[in-house]
Amino acid sequence: MTSPDSDGLLAEQLLRLTRRVHRIQKHHLEQRDLGITPAQSRLLRTLAHWGSPPRMADLAERLEVVPRAVTTLVDGLEASGKVRRVPDPANRRVIRIELTDDGRGALRELRAARRSAAEEILAPLTEEQRAALGGLLNTLIDGAPVRPC
């Protein structure tokens, strides 16, 4: 069993690592001069996982933000040619968001920047340490089963 002090230390370490990951990813993005913010990057990645172009409300729900925030992100990405608004074929009042060829190219660059950032962060670890870290992270991501009281 861990003590409250050690849990607090682990929480602080996780927060510091998260900030470091964001800082390094941002640096790698800036080096590639894509003109894409981290929030726009997240929207592009989310958009790429849809089988067909989603509605703005779908994106807002998936990103867990208010619809107005998605509108601002889409406006910026549309102005740079990375996404476009298209009418829904079944309902002209509904607008859907789709990636453009430039958007798909930007996604490839974003993935490369993320890989570079991950390599930089993981560089001090051995293969065995990386495997152990991957297992631990999967456990944290999946969560422990909740035991009834």
Side-chain angles (χ1 to χ4, degrees):
M1 176 90 72
T2 60
S3 71
D5 287 344
S6 64
D7 286 347
L9 176 61
L10 284 173
E12 181 60 30
Q13 287 173 312
L14 285 171
L15 291 172
R16 287 175 50 209
L17 177 60
T18 300
R19 286 191 293 265
R20 182 168 185 248
V21 167
H22 286 279
R23 191 172 53 252
I24 289 171
Q25 284 183 343
K26 185 178 178 186
H27 173 74
H28 282 269
L29 279 176
E30 288 169 353
Q31 282 184 323
R32 292 175 185 273
D33 199 28
L34 293 173
I36 296 175
T37 67
Q40 289 173 331
S41 167
R42 185 170 172 233
L43 186 138
L44 286 174
R45 289 191 319 271
T46 301
L47 192 55
H49 290 299
W50 244 282
S52 61
R55 299 172 307 139
M56 298 273 257
D58 298 327
L59 284 168
E61 184 178 327
R62 180 77 55 91
L63 293 169
E64 298 178 346
V65 298
V66 296
R68 178 70 188 123
V70 171
T71 300
T72 301
L73 293 172
V74 168
D75 286 347
L77 289 168
E78 187 176 39
S80 67
K82 309 274 187 301
V83 301
R84 70 178 144 252
R85 289 174 165 93
V86 294
D88 184 304
N91 183 347
R92 293 183 320 187
R93 294 175 296 174
V94 175
I95 299 296
R96 297 194 173 266
I97 309 303
E98 70 179 9
L99 281 171
T100 63
D101 288 339
D102 282 351
R104 283 185 276 285
L107 269 172
R108 284 189 293 275
E109 287 293 317
L110 290 168
R111 288 183 186 119
R114 288 171 61 107
R115 272 191 307 276
S116 297
E119 288 169 9
E120 181 177 333
I121 290 165
L122 298 172
L125 301 179
T126 65
E127 287 302 316
E128 294 80 21
Q129 289 171 323
R130 289 177 188 209
L133 177 62
L136 292 169
L137 290 173
N138 281 336
T139 300
L140 293 174
I141 291 166
D142 296 339
V146 177
R147 296 182 189 161
C149 297

CSV table of all heavy atoms in Angstrom, one decimal, residues 42 45-47 49-50 54 56-65 70:
chain,number,residue,atom,x,y,z
A,42,ARG,N,-5.1,18.6,-32.2
A,42,ARG,CA,-6.0,17.6,-31.6
A,42,ARG,C,-7.3,17.5,-32.4
A,42,ARG,O,-7.8,16.4,-32.6
A,42,ARG,CB,-6.3,18.1,-30.2
A,42,ARG,CG,-7.2,17.1,-29.4
A,42,ARG,CD,-7.2,17.5,-27.9
A,42,ARG,NE,-8.2,16.6,-27.3
A,42,ARG,CZ,-9.2,17.0,-26.6
A,42,ARG,NH1,-9.4,18.3,-26.3
A,42,ARG,NH2,-10.0,16.2,-26.0
A,45,ARG,N,-6.5,15.4,-35.6
A,45,ARG,CA,-6.4,13.9,-35.2
A,45,ARG,C,-7.7,13.3,-34.9
A,45,ARG,O,-8.0,12.2,-35.4
A,45,ARG,CB,-5.5,13.8,-34.0
A,45,ARG,CG,-4.0,14.1,-34.3
A,45,ARG,CD,-3.1,13.6,-33.1
A,45,ARG,NE,-3.6,13.9,-31.8
A,45,ARG,CZ,-3.4,15.0,-31.1
A,45,ARG,NH1,-2.7,16.0,-31.6
A,45,ARG,NH2,-3.8,15.1,-29.9
A,46,THR,N,-8.6,14.0,-34.3
A,46,THR,CA,-9.9,13.5,-34.0
A,46,THR,C,-10.7,13.4,-35.3
A,46,THR,O,-11.4,12.4,-35.5
A,46,THR,CB,-10.7,14.5,-33.0
A,46,THR,OG1,-9.9,14.6,-31.8
A,46,THR,CG2,-12.0,14.0,-32.7
A,47,LEU,N,-10.6,14.4,-36.1
A,47,LEU,CA,-11.3,14.3,-37.4
A,47,LEU,C,-10.9,13.2,-38.3
A,47,LEU,O,-11.7,12.5,-38.9
A,47,LEU,CB,-11.1,15.7,-38.1
A,47,LEU,CG,-11.9,16.0,-39.4
A,47,LEU,CD1,-13.4,16.0,-39.1
A,47,LEU,CD2,-11.5,17.4,-39.8
A,49,HIS,N,-10.2,10.2,-37.4
A,49,HIS,CA,-10.7,9.0,-36.9
A,49,HIS,C,-12.1,8.7,-37.3
A,49,HIS,O,-12.6,7.6,-37.0
A,49,HIS,CB,-10.5,8.8,-35.4
A,49,HIS,CG,-9.0,8.7,-35.0
A,49,HIS,ND1,-8.2,7.7,-35.4
A,49,HIS,CD2,-8.2,9.5,-34.3
A,49,HIS,CE1,-7.0,7.8,-34.9
A,49,HIS,NE2,-7.0,8.9,-34.2
A,50,TRP,N,-12.8,9.7,-37.9
A,50,TRP,CA,-14.2,9.5,-38.3
A,50,TRP,C,-14.2,8.8,-39.7
A,50,TRP,O,-13.4,9.2,-40.6
A,50,TRP,CB,-14.9,10.9,-38.4
A,50,TRP,CG,-15.9,11.0,-37.4
A,50,TRP,CD1,-17.2,10.5,-37.5
A,50,TRP,CD2,-15.9,11.7,-36.2
A,50,TRP,NE1,-17.9,10.8,-36.4
A,50,TRP,CE2,-17.2,11.6,-35.6
A,50,TRP,CE3,-14.9,12.5,-35.5
A,50,TRP,CZ2,-17.5,12.2,-34.3
A,50,TRP,CZ3,-15.3,13.1,-34.3
A,50,TRP,CH2,-16.5,12.9,-33.7
A,54,PRO,N,-17.8,14.4,-39.7
A,54,PRO,CA,-18.7,14.7,-38.6
A,54,PRO,C,-19.3,16.1,-38.6
A,54,PRO,O,-18.9,17.0,-39.3
A,54,PRO,CB,-17.8,14.5,-37.4
A,54,PRO,CG,-16.5,15.0,-37.9
A,54,PRO,CD,-16.4,14.6,-39.3
A,56,MET,N,-20.2,19.6,-36.4
A,56,MET,CA,-19.5,20.4,-35.4
A,56,MET,C,-19.8,19.9,-34.0
A,56,MET,O,-18.9,19.8,-33.2
A,56,MET,CB,-19.8,21.8,-35.6
A,56,MET,CG,-19.4,22.4,-36.9
A,56,MET,SD,-17.7,23.0,-36.9
A,56,MET,CE,-18.0,24.7,-36.7
A,57,ALA,N,-21.1,19.6,-33.8
A,57,ALA,CA,-21.5,19.1,-32.5
A,57,ALA,C,-20.9,17.8,-32.1
A,57,ALA,O,-20.5,17.6,-30.9
A,57,ALA,CB,-23.0,19.0,-32.4
A,58,ASP,N,-20.7,16.9,-33.1
A,58,ASP,CA,-20.0,15.6,-32.8
A,58,ASP,C,-18.6,15.9,-32.4
A,58,ASP,O,-18.1,15.2,-31.5
A,58,ASP,CB,-20.0,14.8,-34.1
A,58,ASP,CG,-21.4,14.4,-34.6
A,58,ASP,OD1,-22.3,14.3,-33.7
A,58,ASP,OD2,-21.6,14.3,-35.8
A,59,LEU,N,-17.9,16.8,-33.1
A,59,LEU,CA,-16.5,17.1,-32.8
A,59,LEU,C,-16.4,17.7,-31.4
A,59,LEU,O,-15.6,17.4,-30.6
A,59,LEU,CB,-15.9,18.1,-33.8
A,59,LEU,CG,-15.5,17.5,-35.1
A,59,LEU,CD1,-15.2,18.7,-36.1
A,59,LEU,CD2,-14.3,16.6,-35.0
A,60,ALA,N,-17.3,18.6,-31.0
A,60,ALA,CA,-17.3,19.3,-29.7
A,60,ALA,C,-17.5,18.2,-28.6
A,60,ALA,O,-16.8,18.2,-27.6
A,60,ALA,CB,-18.4,20.3,-29.6
A,61,GLU,N,-18.4,17.3,-28.9
A,61,GLU,CA,-18.7,16.2,-27.9
A,61,GLU,C,-17.4,15.3,-27.7
A,61,GLU,O,-17.0,15.0,-26.6
A,61,GLU,CB,-19.8,15.4,-28.3
A,61,GLU,CG,-20.2,14.3,-27.3
A,61,GLU,CD,-21.4,13.5,-27.7
A,61,GLU,OE1,-22.3,14.1,-28.4
A,61,GLU,OE2,-21.5,12.3,-27.4
A,62,ARG,N,-16.8,14.9,-28.8
A,62,ARG,CA,-15.6,14.1,-28.8
A,62,ARG,C,-14.5,14.8,-28.1
A,62,ARG,O,-13.7,14.2,-27.3
A,62,ARG,CB,-15.3,13.6,-30.2
A,62,ARG,CG,-14.1,12.7,-30.3
A,62,ARG,CD,-14.3,11.3,-29.9
A,62,ARG,NE,-15.3,10.6,-30.6
A,62,ARG,CZ,-15.2,9.9,-31.8
A,62,ARG,NH1,-14.1,9.8,-32.3
A,62,ARG,NH2,-16.3,9.4,-32.3
A,63,LEU,N,-14.3,16.0,-28.4
A,63,LEU,CA,-13.2,16.8,-27.8
A,63,LEU,C,-13.5,17.3,-26.4
A,63,LEU,O,-12.6,17.9,-25.7
A,63,LEU,CB,-12.9,18.0,-28.7
A,63,LEU,CG,-12.3,17.7,-30.1
A,63,LEU,CD1,-12.3,18.9,-31.0
A,63,LEU,CD2,-10.9,17.1,-30.0
A,64,GLU,N,-14.7,17.1,-26.0
A,64,GLU,CA,-15.2,17.6,-24.6
A,64,GLU,C,-15.0,19.1,-24.4
A,64,GLU,O,-14.4,19.5,-23.5
A,64,GLU,CB,-14.5,16.8,-23.5
A,64,GLU,CG,-14.8,15.3,-23.6
A,64,GLU,CD,-14.1,14.5,-22.5
A,64,GLU,OE1,-13.2,14.9,-21.9
A,64,GLU,OE2,-14.5,13.3,-22.4
A,65,VAL,N,-15.4,19.8,-25.5
A,65,VAL,CA,-15.4,21.3,-25.4
A,65,VAL,C,-16.7,21.8,-25.9
A,65,VAL,O,-17.6,21.1,-26.4
A,65,VAL,CB,-14.3,21.9,-26.3
A,65,VAL,CG1,-12.9,21.4,-25.9
A,65,VAL,CG2,-14.5,21.5,-27.8
A,70,VAL,N,-15.0,24.7,-31.0
A,70,VAL,CA,-14.8,24.0,-32.2
A,70,VAL,C,-14.9,24.9,-33.4
A,70,VAL,O,-14.2,24.8,-34.4
A,70,VAL,CB,-15.8,22.8,-32.3
A,70,VAL,CG1,-15.7,22.1,-33.7
A,70,VAL,CG2,-15.5,21.7,-31.3
